[in-house]
Amino acid sequence: EPEVTQTPSHQVTQMGQEVILRCVPISNHLYFYWYRQILGQKVEFLVSFYNNEISEKSEIFDDQFSVERPDGSNFTLKIRSTKLEDSAMYFCASSDGTEYEQYFGPGTRLTVT
Amino acid sequence: GEDVEQSLFLSVREGDSSVINCTYTDSSSTYLYWYKQEPGAGLQLLTYIFSNMDMKQDQRLTVLLNKKDKHLSLRIADTQTGDSAIYFCAESGVTGGGNKLTFGTGTQLKVEL
């Protein structure tokens, strides 16, 4: 069964450093998403991406964040200068747009020290 | 903005029924979902219901929707230890495929022998 994969599973970085979180969505999917979950809090929408551009973003997704689909298989989330409050689990999801399900990856736990 | 609320914790005995409740605020919610998250894993879609439905049954799962009260519930019949997980209620506005999901806080279900 096809699945969304994410790497790394855990990333530790120092405050102010840049991080790139990587996702491989399901191959025939067209819509891509990033969500995050700060420990003990809700899963929050960050951004959706379709047809090589951002289709929607939340207030959290400020200028420090960017997304890219550098090739036909990867979807990345970059945080330019990490803050302590960026520590969270980051989930990638994808969908083909015709079904009612977004398929989620296992997440990347980002720890900013 | 949209808001989705759930109780944080539920404990049941194996073999009993579990009922997890959720309330939401967005009257334009079109699809409502239940996701399951096991430790270290991503979010797995369990079931969804379209807003013009009152009930949906899928094997051991029954979803009830009271649109007037904006109340959604998930009933798990004959709860097993493997059902222990965090259950998230979520809603989306138009379709699930291309729209962001707004999640609740998650309900931790603990199944005791």
Side-chain angles (χ1 to χ4, degrees), chain B residues 24-101:
Chain B
Y24 61 98
T25 59
D26 189 354
S27 57
S28 67
S29 295
T30 303
Y31 290 95
L32 295 134
Y33 303 82
W34 285 103
Y35 278 83
K36 177 182 180 183
Q37 184 182 33
E38 295 181 80
L43 298 162
Q44 175 199 353
L45 179 67
L46 288 177
T47 187
Y48 67 90
I49 189 168
F50 188 53
S51 60
N52 68 354
M53 297 167 65
D54 298 324
M55 186 182 90
K56 182 177 180 180
Q57 187 150 4
D58 184 1
Q59 299 182 330
R60 290 192 298 124
L61 305 179
T62 303
V63 178
L64 295 178
L65 175 61
N66 181 327
K67 196 173 179 185
K68 174 175 164 289
D69 294 338
K70 298 191 184 73
H71 182 267
L72 183 75
S73 68
L74 174 70
R75 179 176 180 269
I76 306 172
D78 186 26
T79 314
Q80 302 297 306
T81 53
D83 295 323
S84 293
I86 299 175
Y87 290 80
F88 291 93
C89 171
E91 64 87 23
S92 73
V94 178
T95 68
N99 272 24
K100 69 176 185 181
L101 298 175

Side-chain angles (χ1 to χ4, degrees), chain A residues 27-57:
Chain A
S27 63
N28 63 337
H29 283 187
L30 302 174
Y31 295 82
F32 313 109
Y33 309 83
W34 284 101
Y35 293 81
R36 80 170 185 192
Q37 184 182 27
I38 295 171
L39 189 64
Q41 297 187 23
K42 294 184 180 187
V43 176
E44 302 171 290
F45 168 78
L46 291 178
V47 66
S48 58
F49 191 85
Y50 170 71
N51 200 26
N52 279 321
E53 59 183 28
I54 291 173
S55 45
E56 187 175 0
K57 61 182 180 179

Side-chain angles (χ1 to χ4, degrees), chain A:
Chain A
E1 185 177 329
E3 57 181 17
V4 177
T5 59
Q6 291 185 242
T7 53
S9 57
H10 190 192
Q11 172 91 47
V12 182
T13 190
Q14 288 192 324
M15 195 167 54
Q17 296 296 305
E18 173 183 288
V19 294
I20 297 176
L21 309 182
R22 301 180 192 279
C23 168
V24 179
I26 294 172
S27 63
N28 63 337
H29 283 187
L30 302 174
Y31 295 82
F32 313 109
Y33 309 83
W34 284 101
Y35 293 81
R36 80 170 185 192
Q37 184 182 27
I38 295 171
L39 189 64
Q41 297 187 23
K42 294 184 180 187
V43 176
E44 302 171 290
F45 168 78
L46 291 178
V47 66
S48 58
F49 191 85
Y50 170 71
N51 200 26
N52 279 321
E53 59 183 28
I54 291 173
S55 45
E56 187 175 0
K57 61 182 180 179
S58 71
E59 292 174 354
I60 303 166
F61 194 89
D62 62 21
D63 292 344
Q64 293 299 312
F65 291 87
S66 62
V67 289
E68 192 179 25
R69 187 150 162 85
D71 53 41
S73 59
N74 290 282
F75 180 52
T76 61
L77 174 70
K78 182 194 290 186
I79 309 175
R80 204 157 288 122
S81 176
T82 49
K83 307 186 192 72
L84 294 175
E85 54 265 36
D86 294 327
S87 294
M89 181 74 89
Y90 288 80
F91 293 105
C92 173
S94 71
S95 75
D96 69 2
T98 60
E99 297 177 9
Y100 309 120
E101 180 169 4
Q102 292 181 21
Y103 292 80
F104 281 79
T108 293
R109 180 167 297 284
L110 176 66
T111 303
V112 182
T113 61

